[in-house]
Amino acid sequence: MSDDRTPLRLFWAEFRENKIGLVALVVVVVTILLALFASIISPQDPYDLAKLSLMDSRRPPGFIGSSGYTHLLGTDPQGRDLLSAIFYGLRISIQIGLAAGFVSLTIGTALGITAAYVGGRIEALIMRLIDLQLSFPAILLALVIVALLGQGKVQLISALVAAQYAYFARTAYGAAKAERGKDYIEAALATPLSGRLVVMRHLLPNCMPPLIVVATVQIANSISLEATLSFLGLGLPVTEPSLGMLIANGFPYMMSGRYWISVYPGISLIILIVAINVVGDQVRDQFNPRLRK
Amino acid sequence: MQAILVMAVMSVIVFCGVYAIGNPIDIVIPPEATQEIRLEAIRRLGLDRPLYEQYFIFISNLLQGDLGRSFVYNLPVLELIGGRLPATLELVLISVISATVLGVSLGIYAGYRPDSWLAKTIMAVSVLGFSVPSFWVGLILILVFAVNFGWLPAGGRGQTVEILGIAWSFPTINGLSHIALPAINLALFKLALMIRLARAGTREIMLTDTIKFARAVGLSESTILRRHLLKLISIPIITVFGLELGSTLAFAVVTETIFSWPGVGKLIIDSIGVLDRPVMVAYLILVAFLFVTINFVIDLVFALIDPRVRNGASA
Amino acid sequence: MTEPVLSVKNLTTHFFTRAGVVKAVDGVSFDLAKGEIMGLVGESGSGKTVTGFSMLGLVDAPGRIVKGSVRLNGTELTTLSDNELRSRRGREISMIFQDPISTLNPMLTIGQQMKLAIDAHESVSVRASATRAADLLTKVGISSAKARLRAYPHEFSGGMRQRVAIAIALLHRPAVIVADEPTTALDVSIQAQILFQMRDLARETGTAMIWISHDLAVVSSLASRLAVMYAGRIVEEGRTATLLRDPRHPYTAGLIASLPAAGKPGTPLNQIPGTTPSLLSLPPGCPFAPRCGRFTLRCEAEPKMTLQDSRGWRCFHPVGRLADAPV
């Protein structure tokens, strides 16, 4: 049954069969596009404080603002068009989620593979640290770091990374340890190739599948965590509203019936997170050999 | 013991982090204060001593039960935290216990009859419990139950009753209605987790030889579920229960903020906002301590339940 | 001839998997007389374990009994309701498994597990059930039985655990016990002990036994009759002594020849060439054909069971005295 389709093609072919996963993937892609082109498609630039008018604030969806266009989703307490704010907010969420995910992936994988490869006391030390870190709830860690470092994108990403790299480390460690014992690694090590080369070209690629699964989940988690921090007022500064902050802004108005200020940003956040999770689930199922047939 | 080492390390990290960064004096002293007043305040609060000296003073005070005074409230931190701890504990305990009981029951059902529509619904809903950030759920809960239907209050703690000298709110109906929404909010994630765990565990255990043998000897399904499955599934459930207990304590921070629940979580958020360092430090130490304790207790529970652990190595 | 205590006719169990239908048991028939010990022999994948499960109605999804009959003490088992079947399991027919460490619940004492087994069918006081359990434990060779009731499975060695399992299976004096490779996971020295103990017990209680194994040597010392399974079918059956001395089916002959005792010291052991077929895609005709040295075009048809003097074989070219005679 020889196929000259690459593993990637086979993966994609199987992925396509699952309708729900496909829909989720489409949602994710659309959201990313919306975020990327936020500045182009937004009717209003929510960062440009000069253009905002408090007269427009807290208006319901469909209101025609002072700048002349219809606020499809209403406005927030600062007078920002909610639709635009949501687009920009999505952009921030995705940016931060991806950045945090990527950095955590790199650091965590490096640590995990090093621990598995080098062995001995370094391995024990690193894994002890990782275990300790894993038992500590992510949100507290992030809270503390943000509290200490202050607000801002870099600080936020650092906090998220610190909270999450341990998951990557543990997964990478497990995978590397399993692969390390396998024959092909032993064979490669017996050649004159440098150890580092063996790791990069042989060990690493085979550890990728579980790491990819963890990455998708963690990206969703990063987005969720960032939103939570922003909601609590510990995220980005007020001038760059992320979805969490938009929701927080609208919170006091919920009682008086002006629900849209919180609800719409919330819905977009949820859609994004759930879509990523579903895609991640599908990827995980496909990589799991035990579930196959 | 390892636990003490962990605590020690944590206390150093926390202390250094919190006290070393930034200038705490600025909250307490108005910026217009003269230099003299500033110096006086610094000396009184002990901030002019070198860092390691501050740390030693801190530790010695800690061991005597004195966690310093809050910069903002000007009350002993211990009193401050102690006053609010019961509220948090009450919330966390109610959430965690109901989440586990309900979650395990639903999960076992889903694992036992995986093809029933109820099982499929349970699993689908549990995915939501995972993905959706808890603050959003809290918001929706308020929107639906408090604003829309007006059945339950949107915040605050209700009437309290004194038991053993501490105020608890669950014995009263009013108190219960106030604790309902935040407890549901907090419990959701753990509920989803328990459902999935119980389901996976049930499916796995039901396929083992132990169950097959029990069937081969003629045990009824209900006996098998009660006497075999429950016992076997308790180990992974308890493990995760312990792990998640800490996590729930952490998430209480968010829930307390949304529902204005007067617990320790809200305190820490407020403290971070105003950089009330003694409170922050004390809170983190407290959390670390709780973690270590929880782990310890869980280990004890294992020894009680699993005869293999109790008696050591087998013959 | 008295009515057999267990009568299996044309038992067929299929597994309906995504990859296709696995015909694990394909038309198995045999009779078991009261107190008789029968050996069910075959390589892994031959369907012998599934046959055992099928008789007790313990086949897991996606498998199920498709057709055939299993009559125990005159009652047809395949048509019983779940509850009726359950009330017979343990009481009239029982089963023990290969690995005793996974058979017993590590978190309950063996006394508790035995009590559960007793209570499943009878209402007995705590005292009485403890006495009964202890008696049975003593019978299977466990000393200080009464004290041992409070012990947990991990405190026993492998052989002892299996004895406990046997004791549990005997609690209600069933008419039939199905033993699925009960000694395979044990030390060789313990194997012999358990083997003979079970034979004596069976004799004493009048329990019939079906001993499932891949090890011909083990089974032949115990069973008075043998049935050899291959690819879900019984390919030969008959009295043990006769079968071993004078096999008819080439597979049986191959099994006997591959026993270490049969080979000459210093020479490589005899092996049957090839491997067991996948039960997903069996070729039509005799399933053993690809590995058989006596294969002819005739074997592309499905061989039927040839019966002669309480023995039978399923082959167009049987081995032995009838070697060259056409069938």
Side-chain angles (χ1 to χ4, degrees):
Chain A
M1 208 178 51
S2 64
D3 239 311
D4 44 31
R5 287 190 288 179
T6 64
L8 192 61
R9 284 256 185 83
L10 282 167
F11 183 86
W12 176 239
E14 195 176 330
F15 192 91
R16 261 196 316 219
E17 284 173 27
N18 186 315
K19 295 285 162 26
I20 301 183
L22 209 53
V23 167
L25 188 62
V26 167
V27 169
V28 173
V29 170
V30 166
T31 317
I32 294 183
L33 287 174
L34 282 177
L36 264 177
F37 296 114
S39 45
I40 306 178
I41 54 175
S42 300
Q44 183 199 54
D45 182 353
Y47 292 171
D48 192 344
L49 292 168
K51 289 234 180 74
L52 299 177
S53 157
L54 276 173
M55 291 283 290
D56 293 335
S57 71
R58 302 189 296 269
R59 298 298 178 180
F63 177 73
I64 300 182
S66 51
S67 344
Y69 47 75
T70 324
H71 294 279
L72 283 168
L73 293 177
T75 58
D76 80 345
Q78 273 85 38
R80 278 185 271 255
D81 172 36
L82 220 47
L83 188 65
S84 320
I86 290 180
F87 285 150
Y88 275 81
L90 280 175
R91 182 159 78 169
I92 293 183
S93 294
I94 295 181
Q95 265 179 349
I96 295 193
L98 280 177
F102 187 69
V103 176
S104 310
L105 176 70
T106 315
I107 295 182
T109 309
L111 267 177
I113 293 194
T114 309
Y117 185 71
V118 171
R121 299 175 78 179
I122 297 189
E123 172 181 355
L125 187 68
I126 293 184
M127 290 325 287
R128 263 283 157 80
L129 247 148
I130 301 288
D131 277 339
L132 199 69
Q133 172 118 18
L134 278 175
S135 58
F136 209 72
I139 184 166
L140 273 184
L141 207 52
L143 263 179
V144 171
I145 296 184
V146 167
L148 293 177
L149 297 177
Q151 297 186 317
K153 264 199 193 152
V154 174
Q155 290 90 327
L156 195 56
I157 296 182
S158 315
L160 293 173
V161 167
Q164 296 185 321
Y165 78 93
Y167 291 103
F168 288 99
R170 217 240 304 257
T171 313
Y173 174 72
K177 202 108 191 156
E179 297 293 316
R180 174 81 175 80
K182 290 197 184 156
D183 292 335
Y184 74 94
I185 294 290
E186 295 289 347
L189 283 171
T191 70
L193 288 173
S194 80
R196 243 185 46 200
L197 211 63
V198 171
V199 167
M200 292 299 283
R201 306 213 61 214
H202 290 281
L203 199 57
L204 192 58
N206 283 294
C207 296
M208 286 315 284
L211 284 171
I212 294 182
V213 173
V214 175
T216 37
V217 169
Q218 289 304 109
I219 291 180
N221 274 353
S222 296
I223 297 181
S224 180
L225 204 52
E226 179 272 314
T228 309
L229 287 173
S230 302
F231 179 80
L232 292 172
L234 297 168
L236 293 169
V238 184
T239 48
E240 279 182 78
S242 87
L243 292 173
M245 170 151 312
L246 290 173
I247 298 176
N249 282 346
F251 186 47
Y253 300 98
M254 282 220 313
M255 302 301 205
S256 50
R258 282 181 267 233
Y259 61 90
W260 61 88
I261 310 179
S262 287
V263 170
Y264 289 126
I267 292 183
S268 19
L269 182 68
I270 300 302
I271 292 181
L272 179 61
I273 294 182
V274 171
I276 296 183
N277 270 328
V278 172
V279 171
D281 259 0
Q282 177 67 11
V283 169
R284 174 164 28 92
D285 283 348
Q286 274 187 235
F287 274 140
N288 188 344
R290 262 174 286 166
L291 286 175
R292 303 177 82 77
K293 298 228 165 63
Chain B
M1 257 192 5
Q2 199 187 345
I4 301 186
L5 184 65
V6 169
M7 290 285 316
V9 168
M10 272 247 41
S11 66
V12 172
I13 296 178
V14 164
F15 186 85
C16 293
V18 174
Y19 272 90
I21 302 181
N23 199 345
I25 211 50
D26 294 326
I27 337 154
V28 189
I29 314 293
E32 316 90 50
T34 64
Q35 192 66 348
E36 283 166 22
I37 302 186
R38 279 193 130 225
L39 287 172
E40 177 67 36
I42 289 178
R43 200 156 42 79
R44 197 163 25 92
L45 289 169
L47 290 167
D48 55 342
R49 313 263 185 89
L51 199 64
Y52 63 84
E53 218 182 294
Q54 287 191 40
Y55 178 68
F56 278 123
I57 301 176
F58 173 72
I59 290 292
S60 64
N61 283 342
L62 181 98
L63 292 172
Q64 286 168 36
D66 173 17
L67 285 157
R69 294 179 82 86
S70 151
F71 287 167
V72 176
Y73 293 95
N74 208 22
L75 286 169
V77 174
L78 196 61
E79 214 179 277
L80 201 56
I81 290 189
R84 309 191 106 184
L85 200 55
T88 301
L89 279 180
E90 186 183 35
L91 183 63
V92 168
L93 281 175
I94 290 190
S95 301
V96 152
I97 292 178
S98 38
T100 304
V101 169
L102 188 62
V104 172
S105 318
L106 287 176
I108 290 183
Y109 178 80
Y112 190 65
R113 296 209 185 287
D115 297 320
S116 67
W117 64 266
L118 186 59
K120 292 196 179 150
T121 319
I122 293 176
M123 290 314 289
V125 171
S126 73
V127 172
L128 284 177
F130 264 142
S131 346
V132 182
S134 65
F135 74 91
W136 171 245
V137 177
L139 235 64
I140 296 289
L141 282 175
I142 292 184
L143 199 60
V144 171
F145 289 101
V147 179
N148 224 349
F149 289 139
W151 289 340
L152 294 165
R157 203 178 180 198
Q159 263 176 344
T160 56
V161 161
E162 267 221 18
I163 305 179
L164 298 175
I166 307 176
W168 305 100
S169 70
F170 66 88
T172 66
I173 300 285
N174 177 278
L176 265 181
S177 72
H178 275 93
I179 209 176
L181 286 182
I184 294 178
N185 185 200
L186 199 55
L188 225 52
F189 185 77
K190 209 166 164 89
L191 184 71
L193 197 64
M194 283 301 177
I195 289 180
R196 305 206 94 173
L197 193 64
R199 175 181 187 257
T202 303
R203 284 184 90 175
E204 202 183 298
I205 290 175
M206 290 312 267
L207 290 173
T208 58
D209 274 356
T210 309
I211 302 295
K212 264 219 156 83
F213 184 62
R215 286 203 177 119
V217 191
L219 259 57
S220 71
E221 289 296 295
S222 69
T223 312
I224 292 180
L225 283 175
R226 263 182 310 120
R227 300 299 301 274
H228 286 288
L229 181 67
L230 275 182
K231 280 223 128 175
L232 287 169
I233 213 172
S234 58
I235 295 190
I237 296 280
I238 292 183
T239 312
V240 172
F241 181 84
L243 286 174
E244 284 298 306
L245 196 54
S247 182
T248 311
L249 267 166
F251 272 98
V253 165
V254 178
T255 307
E256 286 183 14
T257 309
I258 298 181
F259 290 93
S260 305
W261 185 260
V264 175
K266 187 153 194 314
L267 183 64
I268 189 69
I269 295 286
D270 296 338
S271 308
I272 290 181
V274 294
L275 275 183
D276 192 351
R277 281 160 209 264
V279 177
M280 284 168 62
V281 170
Y283 178 78
L284 291 170
I285 303 269
L286 178 71
V287 168
F289 177 70
L290 276 172
F291 262 73
V292 167
T293 316
I294 290 176
N295 270 328
F296 186 67
V297 170
I298 296 287
D299 281 342
L300 269 179
V301 171
F302 271 143
L304 278 172
I305 297 189
D306 190 345
R308 288 171 291 189
V309 172
R310 223 187 300 164
N311 300 345
S314 58
Chain C
M1 181 98 124
T2 42
E3 178 81 20
V5 69
L6 181 70
S7 180
V8 177
K9 285 204 193 341
N10 206 22
L11 183 60
T12 308
T13 307
H14 289 178
F15 283 80
F16 299 90
T17 69
R18 249 186 274 175
V21 180
V22 179
K23 300 189 184 165
V25 179
D26 203 11
V28 163
S29 310
F30 61 85
D31 287 337
L32 192 65
K34 179 166 152 61
E36 182 177 28
I37 302 185
M38 181 181 108
L40 192 57
V41 187
E43 291 166 285
S44 45
S46 57
K48 51 194 201 304
T49 302
V50 182
T51 306
F53 284 157
S54 303
M55 287 189 286
L56 272 105
L58 286 178
V59 181
D60 283 329
R64 61 162 202 273
I65 300 178
V66 180
K67 60 178 185 242
S69 120
V70 179
R71 290 189 84 87
L72 177 66
N73 280 331
T75 320
E76 173 61 51
L77 292 182
T78 54
T79 52
L80 286 181
S81 71
D82 280 339
N83 224 12
E84 289 171 339
L85 193 55
R86 184 196 69 75
S87 80
R88 281 174 174 72
R89 282 193 219 122
R91 217 162 33 95
E92 291 178 30
I93 180 169
S94 194
M95 189 165 179
I96 50 183
F97 296 69
Q98 178 172 334
D99 200 346
I101 191 57
S102 50
T103 313
L104 298 171
N105 189 332
M107 303 181 79
L108 296 172
T109 65
I110 59 168
Q112 285 170 322
Q113 299 190 53
M114 291 185 86
K115 181 163 194 314
L116 279 175
I118 297 178
D119 289 345
H121 297 292
E122 291 174 47
S123 215
V124 178
S125 76
V126 177
R127 265 255 204 93
S129 77
T131 317
R132 190 156 141 190
D135 285 342
L136 217 42
L137 282 182
T138 317
K139 210 183 244 177
V140 293
I142 296 182
S143 49
S144 352
K146 210 125 194 159
R148 295 300 242 158
L149 282 178
R150 281 190 300 258
Y152 287 90
H154 70 270
E155 298 177 59
F156 289 83
S157 68
M160 304 278 263
R161 271 182 232 131
Q162 196 61 298
R163 286 178 218 249
V164 171
I166 294 171
I168 295 182
L170 283 173
L171 276 170
H172 294 284
R173 298 181 156 264
V176 179
I177 289 189
V178 179
D180 189 359
E181 310 252 23
T183 54
T184 309
L186 303 172
D187 284 337
V188 179
S189 50
I190 310 282
Q191 267 188 32
Q193 273 183 34
I194 304 260
L195 266 172
F196 291 120
Q197 196 136 47
M198 288 199 73
R199 187 187 59 186
D200 295 338
L201 273 172
R203 230 179 256 156
E204 195 189 309
T205 57
T207 311
M209 250 206 277
I210 300 182
W211 191 287
I212 301 178
S213 180
H214 65 276
D215 193 339
L216 192 56
V218 163
V219 186
S220 43
S221 54
L222 193 64
S224 52
R225 276 183 52 220
L226 284 183
V228 180
M229 274 191 81
Y230 190 81
R233 278 160 255 209
I234 294 188
V235 294
E236 177 155 15
E237 59 164 340
R239 303 199 63 78
T240 311
T242 324
L243 234 68
L244 291 179
R245 207 175 6 113
D246 183 25
R248 289 276 173 271
H249 197 280
Y251 180 58
T252 318
L255 280 179
I256 298 172
S258 63
L259 288 173
K264 288 202 259 291
T267 60
L269 289 173
N270 299 317
Q271 273 184 326
I272 309 177
T275 51
T276 41
S278 147
L279 292 170
L280 257 177
S281 48
L282 281 171
C286 175
F288 188 61
R291 302 168 77 182
C292 187
R294 305 166 70 79
F295 165 76
T296 67
L297 285 172
R298 183 110 191 268
C299 303
E300 276 174 12
E302 177 102 20
K304 290 269 187 291
M305 198 68 146
T306 314
L307 292 165
Q308 187 195 69
D309 307 323
S310 76
R311 68 182 295 188
W313 59 88
R314 202 189 281 268
C315 182
F316 292 123
H317 305 289
V319 195
R321 268 172 263 161
L322 308 170
D324 299 305
V327 177

